[in-house]
Amino acid sequence: MSNTEKALESSEDSRTTEVPTKPSFPEGGIKGWLTVLSGWCVMFNTFGYINAFGIYESYYKVTFLSNQSESNIAWIGSLQAFFMFSGGLISGPMMDRYGPKVILIPCSILFVASVMLTSLCTEYYQFILAQGVLGGLTNGLTYTPAVTAINQYFFQKRPIAMGIASSGSSLAGVIFPIALNRMLNKSSLGFGWSVRVLGFLMLALSIISCAVITSNAPKRKSGAPFLLAAWKQPEYYLQISGLFLVFWGLFVPFFYIPEYAESIGLSIDMSFYLIAILNAGSLFGRLSGGALANRIGRFNTLTGASIVCAILIFCWLRVTSQGGMVAFSVLFGFFSGTVIGLFPATIAMTASKPNEIGSYMGMALGVLSISTLTGTPISGAMINSYGSYHPAIIFAGVATIVGGAIIFGARAVFAGAKIAA
């Protein structure tokens, strides 16, 4: 055998025995924390905006869409949530291949345009197209890259980083209901300029998010856009199945608290403020949930918060006073905030490489989009059919508690007998 052949054989042997290097995560740094700031701004504009849809729904019911049923109006918000999640099917794989800025900049411009177009709407189909479809899709195209970029910078500190970033949506959920109530009902601005004011605020935050976001992972240059092998991992598909059911129930209070509050005799002002109170509780849930997850485990925290949300939804059946609604809103906001803040971190745990997180997130959000699309219209149809909120609340509670149990199954597969997982 010649020296050249020996050298080639030696090189091939070294390649076959080479052990893949473990992914490294900076766990911070200027770029890492600026990416968290970018994620905070994106969360403010995406989940925060959707969290306030209950205010829009209540306003549409007595103004532009008084001839539409609760179920029909709920389709606007459900479409918005659906496209926000399903947009990840596009932006997740793109994030792995091209990085965040190329996606964030054009989609942020289109999102602000959708808000401005919503301010001009007066007909049902116009709200469906501008707020539901365009607003939701551009939301999703910005949300997934922002969440993925944070997960690429952090591993040990990932729950805390995600908690800080997702607190942006909670703060938005406090600000939007109060601001909309003041502008719509206590000023001469009218609907158009009230929505445009929010649009200009979100434009400023979009500029910040696009300017400071970066990615720590090398771009994935080969392979299929969707990593279908993920669906062979029980810890992945069980978790997504559980989250599907949890999300079926989780958004029902966000959408129907204002109308329920009015049905038991609370004022319109108070019904609007309940969404702000719920999101204030969510703010603390997202921050403290991340810290707790670092102590007892991410799956444990997600499972526990989901079960508590289900219990609180069942308790909602007996709430008939202002004090009860305030207490329910605070507690449900806290624990639902923990769920929403943590689920991207538990999904990212199942990806073997940082530059696969975008695809894992995109596929998961694509499935969860069906849940957000159907959950609240199903609840709205129950309210219309039975003339009561109780069947819808029972549906939400059962879906959430079964989903929490399935997530616990994913935790058992992922960590076995390990206590902190």
Side-chain angles (χ1 to χ4, degrees):
M1 183 182 291
S2 69
N3 290 336
T4 303
E5 288 172 332
K6 288 179 180 178
L8 286 170
E9 186 176 339
S10 174
S11 174
E12 287 172 2
D13 289 343
S14 67
R15 282 198 299 269
T16 57
T17 58
E18 185 178 340
V19 178
T21 56
K22 188 177 180 180
S24 62
F25 297 86
E27 302 293 349
I30 293 176
K31 288 185 176 180
W33 289 113
L34 282 176
T35 298
V36 173
L37 171 62
S38 174
W40 188 95
C41 295
V42 170
M43 292 281 197
F44 189 101
N45 288 352
T46 55
F47 253 117
Y49 192 48
I50 288 177
N51 283 352
F53 181 75
I55 305 304
Y56 282 102
E57 182 166 20
S58 183
Y59 183 78
Y60 293 160
K61 182 61 184 172
V62 297
T63 54
F64 301 115
L65 307 179
S66 57
N67 61 331
Q68 300 289 338
S69 68
E70 283 87 352
S71 182
N72 285 347
I73 298 172
W75 274 107
I76 301 169
S78 293
L79 282 170
Q80 193 177 11
F82 166 75
F83 281 110
M84 192 192 96
F85 280 85
S86 63
L89 287 169
I90 302 169
S91 59
M94 286 182 66
M95 169 67 185
D96 288 341
R97 291 177 181 271
Y98 305 112
K101 282 187 185 287
V102 71
I103 309 168
L104 226 62
I105 292 172
C107 293
S108 296
I109 294 170
L110 287 172
F111 169 66
V112 174
S114 77
V115 177
M116 298 305 181
L117 287 171
T118 300
S119 73
L120 302 173
C121 295
T122 57
E123 301 291 335
Y124 181 65
Y125 78 92
Q126 295 171 344
F127 288 111
I128 286 283
L129 293 174
Q131 188 172 3
V133 178
L134 182 60
L137 183 58
T138 50
N139 257 346
L141 293 172
T142 58
Y143 171 75
T144 305
V147 170
T148 301
I150 295 168
N151 281 295
Q152 290 173 344
Y153 272 103
F154 297 90
F155 184 76
Q156 295 296 336
K157 297 179 181 177
R158 187 178 286 167
I160 294 176
M162 283 304 307
I164 293 170
S166 65
S167 69
S169 65
S170 298
L171 186 61
V174 174
I175 292 171
F176 286 155
I178 296 173
L180 280 171
N181 182 43
R182 291 285 178 181
M183 290 187 291
L184 291 173
N185 300 317
K186 301 182 186 297
S187 76
S188 57
L189 284 175
F191 176 77
W193 272 107
S194 296
V195 175
R196 277 173 223 138
V197 167
L198 300 185
F200 285 121
L201 171 61
M202 289 188 276
L203 172 62
L205 293 174
S206 295
I207 292 170
I208 295 171
S209 69
C210 292
V212 302
I213 194 169
T214 54
S215 172
N216 177 58
K219 295 178 176 64
R220 187 159 60 90
K221 300 180 191 260
S222 61
F226 300 113
L227 301 173
L228 299 180
W231 295 103
K232 297 179 181 179
Q233 301 173 229
E235 64 271 24
Y236 182 75
Y237 67 72
L238 282 175
Q239 181 184 177
I240 306 309
S241 301
L243 285 169
F244 185 98
L245 294 175
V246 168
F247 278 36
W248 240 4
L250 208 65
F251 283 97
V252 171
F254 281 96
F255 279 35
Y256 289 109
I257 275 180
E259 291 181 29
Y260 179 86
E262 290 180 44
S263 75
I264 62 171
L266 273 64
S267 67
I268 294 176
D269 279 357
M270 190 62 208
S271 67
F272 276 37
Y273 289 143
L274 284 173
I275 293 293
I277 292 169
L278 185 150
N279 282 290
S282 178
L283 174 64
F284 292 102
R286 293 174 197 230
L287 294 173
S288 59
L292 182 63
N294 272 351
R295 289 182 172 272
I296 68 170
R298 300 164 201 183
F299 270 110
N300 290 342
T301 308
L302 180 63
T303 302
S306 299
I307 298 297
V308 173
C309 282
I311 293 169
L312 288 169
I313 291 172
F314 285 123
C315 292
W316 188 17
L317 288 167
R318 296 302 178 195
V319 175
T320 56
S321 66
Q322 179 172 305
M325 283 303 301
V326 170
F328 169 75
S329 298
V330 170
L331 292 172
F332 185 80
F334 182 91
F335 289 101
S336 64
T338 302
V339 172
I340 294 170
L342 264 186
F343 86 88
T346 56
I347 292 173
M349 286 171 66
T350 61
S352 58
K353 299 176 184 176
N355 62 2
E356 293 179 351
I357 293 174
S359 184
Y360 273 59
M361 286 294 303
M363 292 188 297
L365 292 174
V367 173
L368 296 179
S369 68
I370 300 172
S371 174
T372 58
L373 175 68
T374 56
T376 46
I378 289 172
S379 302
M382 287 181 174
I383 294 168
N384 289 334
S385 297
Y386 293 98
S388 168
Y389 288 88
H390 286 188
I393 294 171
I394 293 169
F395 161 76
V398 170
T400 306
I401 201 164
V402 173
I406 295 174
I407 294 171
F408 181 78
R411 174 246 181 269
V413 171
F414 183 78
K418 187 179 177 183
I419 295 175

